[in-house]
Amino acid sequence: MSKYEPLQTFLKSQGRDYIPMRFADIERVLNGKLPPSKSRRAWWSNNFRNNVMTKEWLSARSETESVDVVGEKLVFRRVRKARSRSGSSNGSPTSPRPRHRCFGFMKGMIKVQEGFDVTQPFSDEPWDQGYLGEDRLK
């Protein structure tokens, strides 16, 4: 049994679509403390790869919204139909989206010379001039 499984059980038992909770309420349901990463908004994202607790609320067919990390509160919203792998609403909420067949096809093909700054422009033209040299700031 996962440390966060009581949250799934709690969310499934709720008869409403919106379940507002404080972080302290979640800790009471879990009978334990949330990790320090609770103070980062990204930790509460609905990406099933995010963390173990995310999988629990998604398995309960709920998603987070209105996350307020400063005020330590959020809302769990019931999802009537879970998202499928293709992004439509009829599959498992925790199934990954397949990557396009071209994803990563250039991996290992490009080498960046040591010391080269890839964030710098490739030409000597000033940024305020367009492709043909016209001044776009006038």
Side-chain angles (χ1 to χ4, degrees):
M1 180 164 135
S2 163
K3 167 181 167 179
Y4 299 112
E5 196 171 322
L7 179 63
Q8 179 186 156
T9 304
F10 173 81
L11 292 172
K12 282 181 175 179
S13 73
Q14 300 303 300
R16 50 201 166 132
D17 288 342
Y18 293 91
I19 305 146
M21 295 185 81
R22 296 196 170 278
F23 293 1
D25 299 331
I26 297 170
E27 290 176 335
R28 274 192 290 283
V29 167
L30 298 174
N31 197 25
K33 293 284 187 191
L34 289 168
S37 50
K38 71 181 181 185
S39 61
R40 289 190 225 123
R41 185 162 169 67
W43 197 79
W44 297 99
S45 79
N46 292 305
N47 180 346
F48 75 97
R49 292 184 181 125
N50 193 29
N51 63 58
V52 179
M53 191 167 125
T54 304
K55 291 177 185 175
E56 297 298 339
W57 74 65
L58 290 175
S59 293
R61 295 197 183 263
S62 297
E63 291 186 349
T64 56
E65 63 179 41
S66 305
V67 177
D68 176 4
V69 293
V70 175
E72 294 195 345
K73 58 187 176 180
L74 61 92
V75 174
F76 287 103
R77 178 179 48 85
R78 182 159 331 272
V79 179
R80 292 291 174 201
K81 293 183 181 177
R83 284 186 243 150
S84 73
R85 300 181 116 197
S86 64
S88 64
S89 298
N90 58 8
S92 166
T94 60
S95 56
R97 282 190 179 167
R99 290 188 170 153
H100 190 276
R101 64 182 175 270
C102 291
F103 182 84
F105 77 101
M106 298 279 298
K107 184 176 181 178
M109 302 285 289
I110 300 173
K111 304 274 187 214
V112 178
Q113 184 179 0
E114 192 173 324
F116 181 76
D117 186 357
V118 295
T119 64
Q120 292 299 313
F122 285 98
S123 70
D124 292 332
E125 280 191 40
W127 282 97
D128 62 344
Q129 293 184 0
Y131 178 72
L132 300 175
E134 70 269 18
D135 189 356
R136 293 185 187 246
L137 293 178
K138 289 184 181 178

